[in-house]
């Protein structure tokens, strides 16, 4: 069921500093910032040969990234995203195994314009897991 690691998302308190670090110091390919109002984030994609890193910065009121940064002022890993072929089948299988799906349990359209779901960190060793239909 589980496919490629699509991305690792890192919440950052200073997006410009994080972009400069990845682009200039580490020499990575970095996208322009993209606002995702439905998710309360501004996202920058860092393309690596085998996966991506996404820098997340709060956007608007009640951003989930704002509360994460209040608990982790220096920033930190926010979630991992795994690809699945069929997100509904994957959700149903995980729910049957006891995992909790966040929100209303239905996929939303994510930053890559594909359906995504988030799974409760307490059911995944303390890691917020995103599934994306590849
Ligand atoms: Co993500």
């Amino acid at each position: 069921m589980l496919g490629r690691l699509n991305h690792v998302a890192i919440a950052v308190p200073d997006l410009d500093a994080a972009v400069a670090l990845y682009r200039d110091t580490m020499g990575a390919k970095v996208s322009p910032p993209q606002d995702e109002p439905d998710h309360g984030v501004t996202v920058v994609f860092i393309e690596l040969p085998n996966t991506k890193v996404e820098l997340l910065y709060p956007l608007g009121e009640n951003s989930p990234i704002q509360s994460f940064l209040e608990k982790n002022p220096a920033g930190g890993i926010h979630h991992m995203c795994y690809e699945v072929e069929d997100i509904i089948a994957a959700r149903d299988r995980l729910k049957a195994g006891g995992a909790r799906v966040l929100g209303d349990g239905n996929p939303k359209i994510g930053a890559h314009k594909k359906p995504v779901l988030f799974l409760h960190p307490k059911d995944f060793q303390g890691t917020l897991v995103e599934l994306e239909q590849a």
Side-chain angles (χ1 to χ4, degrees):
M1 180 180 90
L2 214 50
R4 293 173 63 247
L5 175 66
N6 185 276
H7 61 269
V8 176
I10 302 175
V12 300
D14 182 336
L15 191 56
D16 291 340
V19 164
L21 174 67
Y22 277 90
R23 185 189 55 210
D24 304 333
T25 309
M26 296 204 278
K29 188 177 168 197
V30 172
S31 80
Q34 179 178 318
D35 288 346
E36 297 290 335
D38 289 353
H39 297 270
V41 292
T42 299
V43 188
V44 167
F45 302 104
I46 298 165
E47 285 186 37
L48 306 179
N50 63 337
T51 189
K52 292 187 284 289
V53 173
E54 293 184 5
L55 305 178
L56 302 179
Y57 185 77
L59 175 68
E61 300 288 314
N62 305 316
S63 168
I65 300 308
Q66 188 62 51
S67 48
F68 183 90
L69 287 172
E70 279 159 19
K71 289 178 217 133
N72 305 276
I77 292 180
H78 184 265
H79 65 267
M80 318 262 296
C81 177
Y82 302 114
E83 294 180 1
V84 294
E85 275 183 26
D86 181 336
I87 200 163
I88 299 297
R91 175 197 65 187
D92 292 347
R93 176 170 166 169
L94 288 161
K95 278 173 77 175
R100 285 164 285 179
V101 178
L102 299 187
D104 67 5
N106 293 311
K108 276 188 170 184
I109 297 303
H112 311 115
K113 314 297 174 212
K114 292 177 175 171
V116 301
L117 278 175
F118 285 90
L119 303 166
H120 201 297
K122 287 197 174 139
D123 299 331
F124 294 88
Q125 289 74 43
T127 304
L128 178 60
V129 171
E130 179 180 18
L131 298 179
E132 180 178 293
Q133 185 161 288

